[in-house]
Amino acid sequence: MEESPTKNDYTNQAKDKIFNEEFMPHIRAMYNFAHRLTYDEDDAKDLVQDTFMKSYRFINSFQQGTNAKAWLFRIMKNSFINDFRKKSKQPTKVDYQEVEGYYNSEGTQKAVTTDLRIDTVKNLIGDEITNALAALDIDFRTVIILCDLEGFTYEEMAKILDIPIGTVRSRLHRARNLLKEKLQSYAQSMGY
Amino acid sequence: MSLKKLVNEIKFRTGTAKCTEYLELVQRVLDGQASRSQEVYLKRHQKMCLKCLERFNIDQEIKKLIQLKLASREVPEGLAEAIKTKIAKSA
Ligand SMILES: [Zn+2]
């Protein structure tokens, strides 16, 4: 992403400048993303370190002044999938429906009719949101983090996740419905 | 444009199309990625359809909740330095 057609050939000085001025300011967002992927402080630290090391190694394919945050998030997402997911024995689930034009399918209509009410939502506390998000499959959790917490556009998300923009939208839509289902069951168990 | 398409387009713009037709707009507006006119079409529909209005408000509330309640962690002490040291060594 943001790759220039011809690779750059930055001097060491330029590399350090890009690294310090364009990459490092995102360390907090990176650490939080890592923590929300791994839910473990040490794993999160490793993942951040790994991501920044890679970003430096591949710095010539980064175009100075472009979207560094999205570029870094993409590296982190790939590192997590390639290295960490394997280690953590998390099964890869592919059992969800993910087709474009999802909006008009029956599943959507059914899924949006949860009984969740606005006052119920207002009564939810941080722990419940945290738990509901954590309970989501990693791919669904990721789109919510990228969109709602980090404020990436659909287009940026498509690049970070290497999926078409239509898939970003349908995955996000599905993720939100799943989150609502979880929140609703919390609310029910709390007697709201 | 065929007549049928034109009619559907007019329905959509005036807010009188089926609820499912607005699902994509709901998401775009929620995420601040709709055009001005798309926002207007959705608003027109929501004026006539309380169900869609309520759903939208719930989605918006959840989005706000995610932003407010999910704590942002501080970067562990020494992490930034450790990274810089490692890079200095590797370069
Ligand atoms: Zn409606």
Side-chain angles (χ1 to χ4, degrees), chain B residues 78-89:
Chain B
L79 183 59
E81 297 318 308
I83 291 169
K84 283 183 183 169
T85 310
K86 235 179 154 181
I87 284 176
K89 271 188 203 158

Side-chain angles (χ1 to χ4, degrees), chain A residues 178-192:
Chain A
L178 289 167
L179 190 72
K180 271 187 264 186
E181 278 174 32
K182 303 252 187 245
L183 291 175
Q184 199 188 348
S185 61
Y186 282 129
Q188 265 165 0
S189 68
M190 304 294 281
Y192 293 156

Side-chain angles (χ1 to χ4, degrees), chain A residues 19-20 28 31-32 35-36 49 103 108-109 116 118 129-130 147-148 153-154 169 173 176 180, chain B residues 20 23-24 27-28 31 33 57-59 62-63 65 67 70-73 75-76 84 86-87:
Chain A
F19 189 83
N20 289 320
R28 186 165 179 169
Y31 178 70
N32 274 280
H35 200 278
R36 290 180 179 123
Q49 212 165 79
Y103 294 101
T108 312
Q109 278 164 278
L116 205 56
I118 191 101
I129 296 278
T130 306
C147 183
D148 291 346
T153 63
Y154 302 146
R169 283 199 230 106
H173 184 76
R176 284 179 169 145
K180 271 187 264 186
Chain B
T20 47
L23 282 176
E24 195 183 318
Q27 186 165 268
R28 278 178 187 273
D31 296 329
Q33 294 180 58
N57 288 338
I58 287 171
D59 285 352
I62 291 175
K63 184 168 174 132
L65 220 57
Q67 290 164 342
L70 289 188
S72 165
R73 286 163 187 269
V75 179
K84 283 183 183 169
K86 235 179 154 181
I87 284 176

